[in-house]
């Protein structure tokens, strides 16, 4: 069976076709994965402008869906089911994908499955690598989220930890903006960090208590925090700008700041991830979401996984940043459980993952 999925939660309009086959170990086969990125539009503003994003989704979605079906060599009669991101995300952006998917499902008389965006990021690992050994610990790290999940059974996600303030990708984007490196910040800092000295700057440490003041009932030992680091970088940059009498720091200083910032982010992410893996007795580890594209994070996690003899999985680049293939995978989980979306499905900007 072919499932057509649509993703439009932020600034990427995406459609993909995934086929479900009768191979137990790898039941999902990717047939197409098309993404129209709006980065060039939002770069001018230093971040995503919601109204511009919604309007661009409206323009792009018919062509993106057509292309995904053409690449998968299927027509509408071969679409057996649809899936769409319900949330979380920008509500105006989500609504474009949902309206399109609901209309198509109704016109075709096919079932529609509603997907949580982060379930998509998690399932990208299963789509890419086949069945993972369970229990698995999965870090979803993107521009909007830094969450740690335990997957004890296929398709079931238990939140172990999350950021108490900024997401890791958000910290990358803000630091890049501060350094005048443009948007999105992750890829540029990743590149510059490779040429800088990661020990050049020693940032003050972040102390997190296990208790989360906003949710005291949660065990917060696997939580993250990045706003302190972001402020430390800001303070350092301002001091250097004052000392040098110019807003533009020399290239070697920018490279050192990038490398030192990245070292701290990677350390924080991998420390919590492996603490959780040991605590849960994980038999596999996954990292998904836009920041999982980071080369140093991949290398550090692979090295620590090898030392612990636990395999570490990361999706390829096209499946780690926002895409609809991952939404198709999570949609197939809903299909397998018979959880159809209601006809009055609506967008939910802060949808919880259960
Ligand atoms: O998952 P994603 O495409 O969108 C969200 O759901 O947020 O993630 C985008 C985020 C951005 O913050 C971007 O700066 C970051 O992923 N990112 C990276 C890298 N590539 C993208 N961060 C660090 N290193 C990278 N190579
Ligand atoms: Zn995402």
């Amino acid at each position: 069976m072919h499932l057509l999925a649509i993703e439009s939660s932020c600034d990427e309009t995406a459609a993909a076709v995934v086929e479900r086959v009768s191979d137990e170990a790898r039941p999902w086969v990717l047939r197409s994965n098309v993404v129209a990125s709006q980065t060039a539009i939002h770069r001018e503003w230093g971040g995503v402008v919601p109204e511009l994003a919604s309007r661009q989704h409206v323009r792009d979605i018919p062509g993106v869906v057509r292309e995904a079906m053409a690449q998968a060599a299927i027509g509408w009669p071969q679409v057996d089911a649809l899936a769409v991101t319900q949330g979380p995300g920008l509500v105006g952006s989500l609504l474009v994908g949902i309206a399109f998917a609901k209309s198509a499902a109704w016109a075709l008389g096919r079932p529609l499955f509603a997907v949580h965006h982060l379930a998509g990021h998690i399932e990208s690992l299963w789509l890419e690598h086949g069945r993972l050994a369970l229990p698995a610990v999965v870090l979803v790290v993107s521009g909007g989220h830094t969450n740690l999940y335990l997957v004890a059974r296929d398709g079931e996600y238990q939140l172990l930890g999350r950021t108490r303030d900024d997401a890791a990708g958000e910290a990358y984007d803000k630091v890049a903006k501060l350094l005048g490196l443009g948007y999105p910040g992750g890829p540029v800092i990743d590149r510059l960090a490779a040429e800088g000295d990661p020990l050049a700057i020693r940032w003050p440490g972040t102390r997190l208590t296990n208790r989360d003041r906003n949710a005291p009932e949660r065990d917060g030992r696997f939580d993250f925090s990045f706003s302190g680091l972001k402020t430390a970088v800001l303070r350092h940059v301002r001091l250097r700008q004052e000392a040098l009498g110019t807003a533009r720091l020399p290239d070697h200083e920018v490279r050192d700041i990038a490398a030192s910032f990245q070292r701290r982010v990677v350390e924080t992410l991998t420390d919590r991830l492996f603490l959780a893996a040991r605590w849960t007795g994980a038999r596999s580890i996954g990292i998904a979401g836009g920041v999982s594209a980071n080369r140093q994070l991949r290398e550090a996690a692979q090295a620590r996984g090898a030392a612990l003899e636990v395999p570490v999985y990361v999706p390829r680049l096209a499946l780690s940043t926002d895409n609809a293939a991952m939404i198709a995978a999570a949609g197939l989980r809903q299909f397998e459980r018979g959880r159809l979306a209601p006809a009055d499905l609506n967008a939910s900007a802060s949808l919880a993952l259960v």
Side-chain angles (χ1 to χ4, degrees):
M1 77 159 301
H2 291 99
L3 184 138
L4 169 69
I6 291 166
E7 148 70 35
S8 66
S9 64
C10 191
D11 60 341
E12 257 105 29
T13 320
V17 175
V18 169
E19 187 177 358
R20 190 166 182 270
V21 295
S22 54
D23 176 350
E24 267 295 298
R26 292 186 81 96
W28 306 331
V29 182
L30 181 60
R31 294 294 178 216
S32 65
N33 188 22
V34 177
V35 179
S37 173
Q38 304 177 2
T39 305
I41 296 168
H42 301 290
R43 185 173 285 135
E44 204 181 320
W45 307 90
V48 178
V49 183
E51 180 60 24
L52 293 180
S54 315
R55 287 168 189 246
Q56 195 60 32
H57 283 306
V58 172
R59 287 186 200 104
D60 285 341
I61 201 162
V64 168
V65 170
R66 208 177 299 127
E67 182 61 23
M69 288 171 56
Q71 286 185 17
I74 61 166
W76 287 112
Q78 286 80 45
V79 173
D80 301 298
L82 293 100
V84 67
T85 309
Q86 184 185 6
L90 301 169
V91 76
S93 292
L94 289 163
L95 279 170
V96 177
I98 291 177
F100 193 100
K102 281 208 297 194
S103 313
W106 186 80
L108 295 168
R110 299 294 193 210
L112 173 65
F113 299 95
V115 168
H116 191 286
H117 182 81
L118 297 187
H121 276 302
I122 296 170
E123 296 298 346
S124 69
L125 292 160
W126 273 253
L127 175 62
E128 176 84 298
H129 302 286
R131 295 191 83 153
L132 265 58
L134 300 179
V137 167
V138 178
L139 173 68
V140 180
V141 61
S142 69
H145 300 271
T146 303
N147 289 2
L148 201 48
Y149 291 99
L150 173 67
V151 183
R153 266 184 289 179
D154 280 339
E156 288 182 21
Y157 324 110
Q158 184 191 332
L159 184 69
L160 294 175
R162 57 165 159 69
T163 181
R164 297 214 189 142
D165 38 62
D166 290 356
E170 193 181 349
Y172 266 97
D173 294 337
K174 286 177 178 168
V175 165
K177 195 171 176 179
L178 187 71
L179 294 170
L181 299 174
Y183 171 86
V188 196
I189 292 189
D190 193 1
R191 188 163 42 75
L192 291 177
E195 299 159 11
D197 176 3
L199 298 173
I201 304 149
R202 305 212 174 246
W203 315 108
T206 308
R207 280 182 299 279
L208 270 190
T209 57
N210 277 359
R211 267 172 59 98
D212 179 350
R213 269 180 299 145
N214 296 318
E217 73 288 354
R218 285 183 62 247
D219 177 354
R221 86 181 81 172
F222 303 119
D223 282 356
F224 305 90
S225 167
F226 294 102
S227 75
L229 175 61
K230 178 192 65 188
T231 309
V233 177
L234 174 72
R235 211 171 284 136
H236 176 86
V237 170
R238 293 280 179 269
L239 283 173
R240 292 301 299 148
Q241 286 170 332
E242 273 169 34
L244 296 171
T246 166
R248 197 176 147 66
L249 300 182
D251 289 350
H252 72 272
E253 278 202 36
V254 172
R255 288 195 294 266
D256 286 351
I257 294 169
S260 303
F261 162 78
Q262 175 154 294
R263 181 176 69 95
R264 171 61 71 78
V265 174
V266 168
E267 260 174 27
T268 307
L269 292 173
T270 48
D271 280 354
R272 296 290 189 290
L273 176 57
F274 282 85
L275 183 68
R278 278 196 301 274
W279 188 75
T280 56
R283 294 181 57 222
S284 59
I285 291 173
I287 311 178
V291 182
S292 73
N294 188 269
R295 284 174 296 175
Q296 203 185 324
L297 176 61
R298 285 178 181 233
E299 280 166 24
Q302 301 284 4
R304 290 179 74 158
L308 210 66
E309 295 186 356
V310 179
V312 175
Y313 299 100
V314 185
R316 78 188 88 151
L317 206 60
L319 295 181
S320 64
T321 50
D322 285 351
N323 65 86
M326 68 185 199
I327 302 304
L332 283 165
R333 282 267 187 246
Q334 305 283 54
F335 165 79
E336 285 157 12
R337 295 161 161 226
R339 284 198 199 154
L340 264 80
D344 62 352
L345 177 72
N346 205 349
S348 173
S350 53
L351 187 67
L353 177 59
V354 283

